[in-house]
Amino acid sequence: MALGFVVLLTVLVVCIGLVATCVACLDRTMLGRTMADYDRRFVEIVPYLGVTALFFVAKRATHGHTLRISKALDWDLTAEIYAVEGEFVAWLQTITPEATLEFFSAMYMFGFPYLLVTAPILYFLLSSQRYFKELLVSYLLNYVIGALFYTLFIVYGPRNHLSSVDGLMYSFYPQTQEVTAAVSANTNVFPSLHTSLTVVVVLLAWRSRREYPRWFPIASFVGACVVFSTMYLGIHWLIDVVAGVVLGVGAVVAAERIVDRAEGDAGPTPASDEREDGIASGPSD
């Protein structure tokens, strides 16, 4: 019951955020152009969607095997990470005002899926699907590399390893524990995919700032809050976050090259496509 409620609430909040972002960022002509050009755009991105779907089907099918491999290897890096980092997360919790707990819990639960869902929809609405393709490949690379690390290494988060760190979100909002347990094991910590995927969205928002000048500050603010929340809530170590930043940046760079190779050349930039189509680079007043 609690799981269904939290999922429904998450969908509702993400949809509200998506609509608000579209109102703030979109040119009024873009929806009409997208509807008129829907078939071409969808056909163009189908191969990327297909590869992504195949990966997640395979990941789901092999989930039990990867858990058994991880347990058999038993490469637990938690003590090593703590030896390097120490009580940073505990210190972070002590200096952060308690009044912010509800805000950062909401950012962790709702801000993260909001970023992941909003970015591809915005890029699909551009006449060029270049950003959409790079975003999807970046997502895929993050999950592939993350799945590899989670299989090879066992790492428990600060809330599970240190008595001085409180699992604040689960104390404040215990229903969320069912959601996180349903999608991730408590040893899926290094690197932080919340961080790496957030970095991907923010970097693509920076690159697409000519097309969506308002999207970058929105994504940056929400992204910064999401990354901070992963540590403040005791879910990730600082080292997990640093590794997530490296993974996110690397995924964007690699995705650009992969799409270049897949398309045969670098292709026109999305900004030039929009100018040729007569679409404004910013929202209309």
Side-chain angles (χ1 to χ4, degrees), residues 70-228:
S70 183
K71 290 180 180 179
L73 293 173
D74 196 26
W75 292 343
D76 191 334
L77 300 182
T78 311
E80 285 75 9
I81 288 178
Y82 174 66
V84 173
E85 179 174 321
E87 301 278 335
F88 175 80
V89 173
W91 172 79
L92 193 66
Q93 288 189 341
T94 61
I95 67 168
T96 304
E98 188 176 347
T100 64
L101 173 57
E102 185 173 354
F103 172 76
F104 285 115
S105 295
M107 281 295 173
Y108 183 86
M109 286 300 300
F110 308 132
F112 179 64
Y114 157 77
L115 290 174
L116 295 192
V117 170
T118 302
I121 290 176
L122 289 177
Y123 296 142
F124 184 74
L125 292 171
L126 293 173
S127 64
S128 169
Q129 295 303 293
R130 177 74 185 199
Y131 288 137
F132 186 100
K133 295 172 184 176
E134 292 185 10
L135 181 72
L136 206 60
V137 172
S138 297
Y139 282 177
L140 184 58
L141 289 173
N142 272 272
Y143 279 110
V144 169
I145 296 171
L148 177 62
F149 271 82
Y150 294 161
T151 300
L152 292 178
F153 305 114
I154 294 173
V155 178
Y156 292 95
R159 73 185 190 280
N160 298 124
H161 186 70
L162 299 176
S163 59
S164 57
V165 173
D166 187 7
L168 294 173
M169 182 175 66
Y170 300 136
S171 301
F172 164 72
Y173 196 8
Q175 298 93 329
T176 59
Q177 194 159 6
E178 292 189 38
V179 177
T180 54
V183 300
S184 178
N186 63 355
T187 57
N188 291 357
V189 171
F190 177 83
S192 166
L193 287 189
H194 266 67
T195 297
S196 63
L197 290 166
T198 295
V199 167
V200 165
V201 173
V202 173
L203 287 179
L204 266 295
W206 167 257
R207 290 182 56 195
S208 62
R209 65 193 182 280
R210 292 176 64 186
E211 293 81 11
Y212 293 126
R214 294 178 182 174
W215 171 231
F216 175 65
I218 293 171
S220 298
F221 173 75
V222 176
C225 292
V226 169
V227 172
F228 180 83

